[in-house]
Amino acid sequence: MQPRTSRLPLQSPVAHGTDDDPRLAAELSAALAAARRRAVRDGDRQIDTAHLLHSLLEQDPQVRTVLGGGPQLARLLGYLVQRSIGYGLRWQSGVEHAGDAGSLLPVGLVGAVGDGLSPLAAAALEHACVRAERRGARTAGGVDLLAAIVAEPGARAVEVLDHAAVDIPELRARIDDGTEGAPAFTG
């Protein structure tokens, strides 16, 4: 049996992208690097928002706090693991992108940070940087990226959050209000 990473060509942008954008905080850069490794290991063509969410949960304690922690966080991580071992196989043949009603910035505004990312993941990273700038921060953090991801109802990460019973509208409101400590799970 060949390893799953053998399906990616050596020149794959996923395998060779950079994660050193100076607009990203250290935790977010680490999460992006981890998402890149996860996509390569899983044999995915691009890093999508579910890869980013999974890595954010592993790398950024603030993101875990926003999502409430405890058994609900374990359930969410369980869905993400299922996705990486087969649940997401239907996603491998397609590219994640915003639908006609996408609420993120147009992909044309995405800079070099988009290497190897799905159009929607690249737009979410760009949106996170814009969000950080608007709040006066020098760099975007994990919560900025989480806010950008959950702003797009068509994101694969939002589908995973929904399957894990995360109340997405409540999560969006708490992030926007800065009340990130309350759990956002419905079940």
Side-chain angles (χ1 to χ4, degrees):
M1 176 182 230
Q2 288 189 331
R4 294 180 74 183
T5 56
S6 65
R7 290 187 297 219
L8 283 176
L10 291 176
Q11 68 274 16
S12 168
V14 173
H16 300 292
T18 61
D19 308 314
D20 58 355
D21 188 318
R23 302 174 302 159
L24 305 181
E27 294 85 6
L28 187 49
S29 289
L32 181 57
R36 186 173 311 285
R37 287 188 301 273
R38 176 170 281 106
V40 169
R41 183 189 65 230
D42 293 349
D44 293 333
R45 291 177 20 179
Q46 292 183 317
I47 300 164
D48 64 25
T49 58
H51 293 116
L52 291 172
L53 176 63
H54 197 161
S55 295
L56 281 172
L57 290 171
E58 291 176 339
Q59 301 290 327
D60 194 325
Q62 287 182 315
V63 170
R64 289 190 298 274
T65 298
V66 168
L67 287 164
Q72 297 87 2
L73 184 58
R75 181 176 5 167
L76 176 57
L77 284 168
Y79 278 107
L80 287 163
V81 167
Q82 287 176 18
R83 184 238 185 232
S84 70
I85 61 173
Y87 169 69
L89 288 178
R90 65 185 169 89
W91 289 336
Q92 285 185 339
S93 62
V95 173
E96 178 188 43
H97 52 79
D100 296 335
S103 58
L104 295 178
L105 298 174
V107 175
L109 295 177
V110 176
V113 76
D115 291 341
L117 298 164
S118 73
L120 189 53
L125 274 167
E126 187 67 30
H127 183 76
C129 292
V130 169
R131 183 181 188 274
E133 185 178 301
R134 284 184 185 147
R135 64 180 176 78
R138 213 184 77 219
T139 58
V143 175
D144 294 312
L145 181 56
L146 181 62
I149 288 170
V150 299
E152 178 53 58
R156 290 176 179 168
V158 171
E159 183 179 335
V160 171
L161 289 164
D162 187 52
H163 282 292
V166 174
D167 185 335
I168 305 294
E170 178 188 326
L171 178 59
R172 285 184 197 128
R174 283 194 358 264
I175 291 171
D176 290 343
D177 293 341
T179 55
E180 291 130 4
F185 289 87
T186 58

